[in-house]
Amino acid sequence: MKYVIRFQKTGVICYTSHLDIMKVFKRSFKRAGIKLAYSQGFNPHPKMGFAQPLSLGYESLDEYIEFETAGDAFSADEILGRMRALMPEGLDLLSIKEATHNKTLAADTVAAEYTIEIPLGETEKNAAVTMEPRSLWQSYMGQDEIMTLKKQKKKKEPVLVNIRPKIREMVFFTSEECLRIDAVLDSGSDSNLSPELVITTVLERFGLDIPRSEIKVTRNKIHFKEHLT
Amino acid sequence: MIDRELDSILKCVEKPARYIGGEVNIVRKDPDSVDVRMGFAFPDTYEIGMSYMGMQILYNILNKNERIYCERLFAPADDMETIMREKGRKLFTLETFTPADELDIIGFTLQYEMAFTNVLNMLDLSGLLVRREARAKASEGGVHMPVIIAGGPCAFNPEPLADFVDVFLIGDGEELLEKVCEAYADAKKAAGANVSDVRGIFLRAIAGLDGVYIPEFYEVEYYDAGEAGEQGTIKCVNRTAGFVPEKVTRAVVKDIDKTAFPTNNIVPFIDTVHDRSVVETFRGCTRGCRFCQAGMIYRPVRERRPETIKNLAMEQLANTGHEELSLLSLSTSDYSEFEDLATELMGLCKAQNVALSLPSLRLDSFSFKVLDEIQGYRKSGLTFAPEAGTQRLRDVINKNITEDDIYSAVRQAVELGWEHIKLYFMIGLPGETLEDLDGIAEIARKIMDINYEIRGRKGGRFRVTVSVSNFVPKAHTPFQWEAQDRPEDFVDKHNYLSSRLHIKGVTFNYHETVTSNLEAVFARGDRRTGRILEEAWKGGCRFDAWTEHFRPELWEKAFETCAAEFGFADGKALEAFYNYRKRSEDEVLPWDIVNSFIDRQYLLDEKHRAEEAKTTPDCRLGCNLCGVNEYTECFVNAKAGCRG
């Protein structure tokens, strides 16, 4: 049987990597007595995977893990109940659904929604409050091209890329303390944009000197092409 | 929840999950609901510390006690340390993010000497003064100071850390540590509002317990030039309080089968050195290798019953979801019903898709059967530890393995399809000659030949790795009086071996020389060596066991500074005093304060037998009168063993 569990990753556990969370699930299945189906071959591994990897340090309100069980010893609700009892703090399992699709969720992912919260220092506060969200949007999204350096997977030298076409939507909110950006970005194997590049270019555009470590990113939603979930 | 500052710090460091706790099976308690809060401190990074079973054992025992909350502390990596110091952030526990200086007790485990600078650094990062006296003074003045305790194998020579640690716990910790924590809770209650009295009441209460060493109640006198004893050696140790023992008797758990062992191990999020279920099958070793401290200080052999082991293993696997199970002891196959146990565990593991790992097996035919079955076609290397290159030197160190044993085992291994043989040797052993080094190359060559003989002229992908470590004389062993090789001797020997081991298919590895010499200083150091440690730490030394962090030039400077203080010509002379000097048999040794149960005369007899290259048989075959059974029963729960 194939299932998809939707879950959240919030709090300090966001400092645990994608692969390590995978290990938590793998071990939890084992502890819960839920037998997973294994791949064939010399290195059999359990059939499970996330819709999209989540960068270290990001929280998420909308994560998906799909997996295949060997047999149907437990109902979907029983699986959810057993797994819930074993999850570490910060990993909250929201719901479970039986899956009928053949395609993986990863292959079906097309976009993701993020919230980027940039706290403002004294100097930025003054500058930001004078700027209306609308004009911030125009200043940033109105650019024909948004060029930035992107690290390549294989090559050592970063290359200059235009990220503008990969930004689907963007909304700015300002308050005394914080500049908040809600953005829908391409995500998945066809076209992908990391929020990190949005952060760099936003900071550059508005001349904000805020250390990356002060900025919080949350993934709110993953968009799928075929609405499998 | 963590605060914003810590959140932003975590975004700046490598592997932030080292610092967040929250793992599966972590113990959560309301700190206000307990009487005593203890921080179990491992003086190395999270990945190393979490692989150490002793922490899991004690964490489990302490947290079962509702009066106690035991949390964990690790040494932050250097990137984290830099930011913590910049922001004035104190070392914090992983359970509740409590600053370490707010705890009642901080307990360090001392697993290896090269972690000692990390102990000092962790105290400093906790916002505490590193010197015991200074903290005691502050505490008398009513300032809250956690009591610093330390245990583990290195506590068997506590002196190098005696000026920094308040209380050493020597021996098995399972019963003692809990008693000590409770005594602290009682002392707090007894002192009431007079907070400055807690420390004194506590120390007095535990002073009489077996295994407790409180260095502030002992004063060491050293021989000056012109006196009867060798200058710089210990003249005598005087007690400054009547309620402390003349010698500290080590703590011992008589029956480990009845001792709590964890089944709810904390499962780390990130990869650690070992991330697997572990059951200790027995404690102690009967083989009597003369260089081996563990073989002496963990005596006698005490076994856990097979049923208990199986239950613990299955419960641990069920509670952790681990993919691997390993057995813990000094010489795995010496367990009295090993074949039955291994066979059963193999079956249980196979049924659960769990890999079974059996370290330090004696390579007899049964072991091959087991290894062949558990490793299948994915065979890892096969390891032998002959330790010395000739039979004569193996007799000197009482390592009971012959070349025939090795060669016949290699023959079997090659036939069963193993392609990698790993060999471990030590150099710088007492009485070593060039012939013994030649012997190392000889063994490697013969193993290659056996492979050619079986696999044909090309020999396949077969390879041999020869790893050589540098002998470090350890306290409480028959070699505790011996001189260590000088760095230049080690280097010469490494070079000699390099040239001898230019053999096709043979890889030669050796251990950093300077680290071994430093390790030796603290393995047998007296109380004054704490000054060297302090100077080195102040200079910036930490993580000395990590090649990339080791700073020999800073250590050299620390030796120079202290040489003048102690009345030695220079740093080299100081190092020579601790390392390259054969100690006389009547010298008072710094660790004589500890009664390890091993009779001094037995150690001397063993030393003399070594000098004559005479072996001593395994004590399962007959008691060798080491003295342990005057204090506690040998072979508890073991089916086979000497009762004499």
Side-chain angles (χ1 to χ4, degrees):
Chain A
M1 297 294 286
K2 269 180 87 171
Y3 298 95
V4 176
I5 286 181
R6 182 166 167 251
F7 66 97
Q8 294 186 340
K9 183 185 179 188
T10 55
V12 278
I13 204 167
C14 74
Y15 295 105
T16 303
S17 76
H18 168 67
L19 281 177
D20 291 331
I21 294 296
M22 186 68 91
K23 202 164 63 184
V24 171
F25 272 99
K26 189 177 159 192
R27 286 178 171 168
S28 301
F29 280 119
K30 203 159 180 192
R31 292 168 67 204
I34 298 162
K35 286 210 163 74
L36 295 182
Y38 271 72
S39 65
Q40 303 292 310
F42 282 104
N43 251 322
H45 52 269
K47 290 186 176 174
M48 56 187 271
F50 292 129
Q52 271 296 291
L54 186 70
S55 298
L56 194 66
Y58 287 20
E59 292 190 306
S60 178
L61 304 176
D62 191 43
E63 290 297 291
Y64 298 88
I65 180 172
E66 58 185 336
F67 55 94
E68 195 179 322
T69 59
D72 50 1
F74 302 107
S75 71
D77 284 344
E78 278 171 334
I79 293 175
L80 190 65
R82 282 175 174 249
M83 289 294 281
R84 261 187 189 151
L86 300 173
M87 284 292 126
E89 201 174 298
L91 285 183
D92 298 304
L93 309 187
L94 302 173
S95 59
I96 189 166
K97 216 173 142 181
E98 221 175 279
T100 46
H101 53 270
N102 282 322
K103 205 172 169 184
T104 63
L105 289 180
D108 196 45
T109 302
V110 288
E113 292 181 28
Y114 295 93
T115 293
I116 300 165
E117 288 165 276
I118 305 172
L120 299 175
E122 281 309 317
T123 44
E124 289 85 8
K125 264 182 204 169
N126 304 330
V129 280
T130 59
M131 261 180 131
E132 289 303 314
R134 187 71 210 160
S135 50
L136 286 171
W137 187 90
Q138 265 161 359
S139 168
Y140 183 77
M141 291 294 279
Q143 305 173 87
D144 290 338
E145 287 182 331
I146 302 175
M147 302 302 289
T148 186
L149 285 172
K150 183 181 182 240
K151 270 191 214 151
Q152 294 296 92
K153 260 186 190 155
K154 284 178 187 163
K155 284 182 210 154
K156 273 184 188 163
E157 289 296 301
V159 291
L160 212 51
V161 292
N162 176 18
I163 62 168
R164 180 62 188 84
K166 297 182 178 211
I167 304 175
R168 298 187 170 200
E169 286 171 44
M170 199 175 229
V171 187
F172 288 82
F173 303 88
T174 52
S175 70
E176 280 276 321
E177 288 80 28
C178 179
L179 169 63
R180 194 182 113 199
I181 303 163
D182 284 358
V184 183
L185 312 176
D186 279 2
S187 184
S189 48
D190 290 343
S191 172
N192 193 69
L193 174 58
S194 158
E196 293 304 313
L197 299 183
V198 173
I199 293 172
T200 324
T201 49
V202 163
L203 294 181
E204 255 175 42
R205 186 70 185 169
F206 302 117
L208 299 173
D209 185 22
I210 312 288
R212 174 62 188 89
S213 59
E214 300 293 323
I215 298 168
K216 188 181 167 188
V217 185
T218 310
R219 181 149 76 196
N220 300 315
K221 196 168 171 41
I222 294 179
H223 293 205
F224 297 102
K225 203 185 301 171
E226 294 172 26
H227 306 287
L228 296 174
T229 58
Chain B
M1 271 307 283
I2 58 169
D3 56 89
R4 236 179 99 170
E5 182 189 69
L6 184 53
D7 194 54
S8 117
I9 291 176
L10 290 173
K11 285 195 168 68
C12 301
V13 297
E14 255 182 70
K15 299 194 194 169
R18 285 166 167 168
Y19 312 108
I20 63 170
E23 306 97 317
V24 167
N25 293 332
I26 184 177
V27 176
R28 300 207 185 269
K29 289 187 184 187
D30 173 7
D32 293 331
S33 73
V34 298
D35 297 335
V36 57
R37 294 185 68 184
M38 139 119 189
F40 193 109
F42 194 97
D44 211 315
T45 60
Y46 177 87
E47 294 94 309
I48 315 257
M50 283 308 291
S51 308
Y52 166 58
M53 198 55 201
M55 172 180 261
Q56 302 259 13
I57 293 176
L58 297 168
Y59 184 86
N60 171 53
I61 289 178
L62 295 181
N63 280 323
K64 273 187 181 164
N65 186 321
E66 58 185 27
R67 298 182 72 192
I68 306 168
Y69 190 13
C70 172
E71 306 181 52
R72 292 164 300 153
L73 298 163
F74 297 95
D78 55 353
D79 61 341
M80 182 67 168
E81 177 180 341
T82 306
I83 300 181
M84 286 168 74
R85 288 192 185 278
E86 263 170 34
K87 308 226 170 189
R89 184 105 200 171
K90 286 176 185 167
L91 186 69
F92 54 86
T93 63
L94 296 192
E95 275 69 12
T96 58
F97 302 101
T98 304
D101 62 342
E102 290 175 18
L103 301 168
D104 296 312
I105 300 173
I106 298 177
F108 285 93
T109 176
L110 307 173
Q111 296 293 312
Y112 34 90
E113 291 83 359
M114 299 315 282
F116 284 180
T117 52
N118 283 4
V119 173
L120 270 56
N121 201 42
M122 284 171 80
L123 289 176
D124 186 57
L125 278 170
S126 303
L128 297 168
L129 297 160
V130 297
R131 293 217 146 240
R132 157 172 55 75
E133 261 180 33
R135 285 194 313 270
K137 216 169 184 182
S139 153
E140 273 163 36
V143 182
H144 174 77
M145 284 284 147
V147 170
I148 308 303
I149 64 178
C154 292
F156 275 81
N157 178 25
E159 290 303 89
L161 288 175
D163 285 336
F164 314 106
V165 169
D166 297 291
V167 179
F168 288 91
L169 303 185
I170 297 160
D172 298 327
E174 284 102 329
E175 291 162 9
L176 180 58
L177 184 56
E178 188 177 7
K179 271 190 220 162
V180 165
C181 287
E182 291 212 305
Y184 192 92
D186 295 341
K188 257 165 92 177
K189 203 171 265 175
N194 305 319
V195 184
S196 55
D197 292 347
V198 177
R199 188 173 186 275
I201 299 174
F202 167 65
L203 293 183
R204 243 197 124 100
I206 60 169
L209 296 175
D210 276 357
V212 169
Y213 171 51
I214 309 171
E216 67 193 64
F217 298 124
Y218 300 83
E219 267 173 16
V220 187
E221 280 182 53
Y222 304 90
Y223 282 113
D224 279 332
E227 287 189 283
E230 189 173 345
Q231 186 189 351
T233 61
I234 297 170
K235 190 194 233 169
C236 59
V237 178
N238 305 314
R239 280 181 288 171
T240 59
F243 55 81
V244 293
E246 200 177 332
K247 269 182 171 238
V248 176
T249 303
R250 100 178 215 228
V252 67
V253 167
K254 294 207 156 74
D255 183 352
I256 68 160
D257 191 66
K258 293 198 176 80
T259 307
F261 196 80
T263 54
N264 270 301
N265 310 30
I266 299 177
V267 186
F269 289 125
I270 57 173
D271 283 341
T272 54
V273 179
H274 294 303
D275 183 5
R276 58 191 187 188
S277 286
V278 177
V279 182
E280 185 189 30
T281 49
F282 66 99
R283 205 167 291 179
C285 180
T286 53
R287 309 216 145 227
C289 300
R290 292 176 181 135
F291 55 85
C292 180
Q293 190 190 41
M296 301 291 160
I297 63 173
Y298 292 119
R299 289 179 182 211
V301 161
R302 292 149 283 167
E303 293 193 358
R304 196 164 258 128
R305 292 177 197 276
E307 281 311 314
T308 319
I309 294 169
K310 277 178 277 175
N311 291 339
L312 289 170
M314 291 306 114
E315 274 180 56
Q316 259 189 48
L317 289 170
N319 291 336
T320 58
H322 276 136
E323 302 79 11
E324 186 183 350
L325 169 70
S326 179
L327 298 182
L328 177 70
S329 67
L330 283 171
S331 175
T332 313
S333 348
D334 283 353
Y335 184 74
S336 51
E337 289 173 277
F338 178 67
E339 299 200 1
D340 291 347
L341 179 69
T343 311
E344 273 197 73
L345 286 176
M346 259 193 314
L348 290 168
C349 286
K350 208 169 184 178
Q352 299 193 31
N353 254 325
V354 168
L356 178 64
S357 143
L358 300 170
S360 68
L361 282 188
R362 185 173 56 244
L363 290 173
D364 52 19
S365 54
F366 173 76
S367 302
F368 274 108
K369 216 179 86 194
V370 174
L371 285 175
D372 197 37
E373 194 159 333
I374 59 183
Q375 297 189 352
Y377 50 83
R378 256 190 287 186
K379 289 188 166 57
S380 62
L382 205 59
T383 307
F384 297 88
E387 308 292 3
T390 62
Q391 194 56 51
R392 184 198 62 85
L393 193 56
R394 285 193 294 275
D395 289 346
V396 169
I397 63 177
N398 206 41
K399 178 80 192 187
N400 188 10
I401 180 173
T402 68
E403 265 158 57
D404 282 348
D405 293 341
I406 299 170
Y407 299 142
S408 72
V410 166
R411 203 168 278 280
Q412 282 189 65
V414 173
E415 275 161 5
L416 284 165
W418 264 276
E419 290 188 320
H420 186 197
I421 304 286
K422 292 186 264 188
L423 297 170
Y424 285 95
F425 293 97
M426 263 189 281
I427 58 165
L429 289 163
E432 179 187 66
T433 66
L434 274 190
E435 211 173 285
D436 300 304
L437 301 184
D438 292 336
I440 293 176
E442 194 55 31
I443 293 173
R445 188 187 306 277
K446 274 199 186 146
I447 290 177
M448 288 307 292
D449 287 345
I450 290 172
N451 180 60
Y452 290 128
E453 196 190 307
I454 297 171
R455 287 215 175 95
R457 255 192 30 210
K458 288 200 170 153
R461 283 190 300 177
F462 186 81
R463 63 213 158 90
V464 172
T465 304
V466 175
S467 297
V468 161
S469 62
N470 307 313
F471 171 62
V472 177
K474 296 269 166 158
H476 303 286
T477 68
F479 290 160
Q480 64 182 358
W481 293 275
E482 300 297 333
Q484 192 191 28
D485 266 5
R486 290 171 181 273
E488 54 270 29
D489 300 329
F490 281 133
V491 171
D492 286 350
K493 288 177 184 180
H494 291 152
N495 291 338
Y496 182 79
L497 279 172
S498 281
S499 69
R500 286 279 150 160
L501 284 163
H502 265 301
I503 304 169
K504 192 171 171 273
V506 177
T507 317
F508 171 48
N509 300 322
Y510 55 87
H511 195 264
E512 195 67 49
T513 304
V514 192
T515 326
S516 309
N517 292 114
L518 260 186
E519 184 186 326
V521 170
F522 298 106
R524 292 188 297 171
D526 55 29
R527 206 173 267 206
R528 295 174 306 179
T529 55
R531 274 288 299 134
I532 308 173
L533 202 61
E534 191 180 15
E535 281 300 308
W537 164 70
K538 279 185 185 160
C541 289
R542 58 214 60 174
F543 289 109
D544 299 295
W546 297 56
T547 326
E548 64 267 43
H549 294 299
F550 183 58
R551 307 274 302 275
E553 71 286 356
L554 296 179
W555 278 103
E556 225 168 275
K557 221 175 130 201
F559 272 91
E560 285 306 328
T561 309
C562 293
E565 271 177 42
F566 305 169
F568 284 84
D570 56 18
K572 291 264 169 273
L574 183 58
E575 199 178 318
F577 172 78
Y578 287 113
N579 274 357
Y580 316 128
R581 173 177 70 91
K582 202 172 167 102
R583 286 147 170 81
S584 91
E585 290 178 5
D586 52 16
E587 185 175 324
V588 177
L589 303 170
W591 53 94
D592 283 347
I593 186 78
V594 175
N595 172 7
S596 70
F597 294 173
I598 309 288
D599 199 40
R600 185 185 178 89
Q601 193 52 50
Y602 167 81
L603 292 179
L604 280 170
D605 289 347
E606 281 296 292
K607 172 180 184 261
H608 299 146
R609 291 176 77 85
E611 284 158 2
E612 296 164 35
K614 274 192 191 154
T615 59
T616 299
D618 188 319
C619 71
R620 279 176 200 268
L621 305 171
C623 181
N624 294 323
L625 305 175
C626 72
V628 163
N629 61 5
E630 284 172 37
Y631 299 91
T632 186
E633 194 188 331
C634 296
F635 302 109
V636 172
N637 299 326
K639 282 277 148 60
C642 156
R643 312 268 164 185

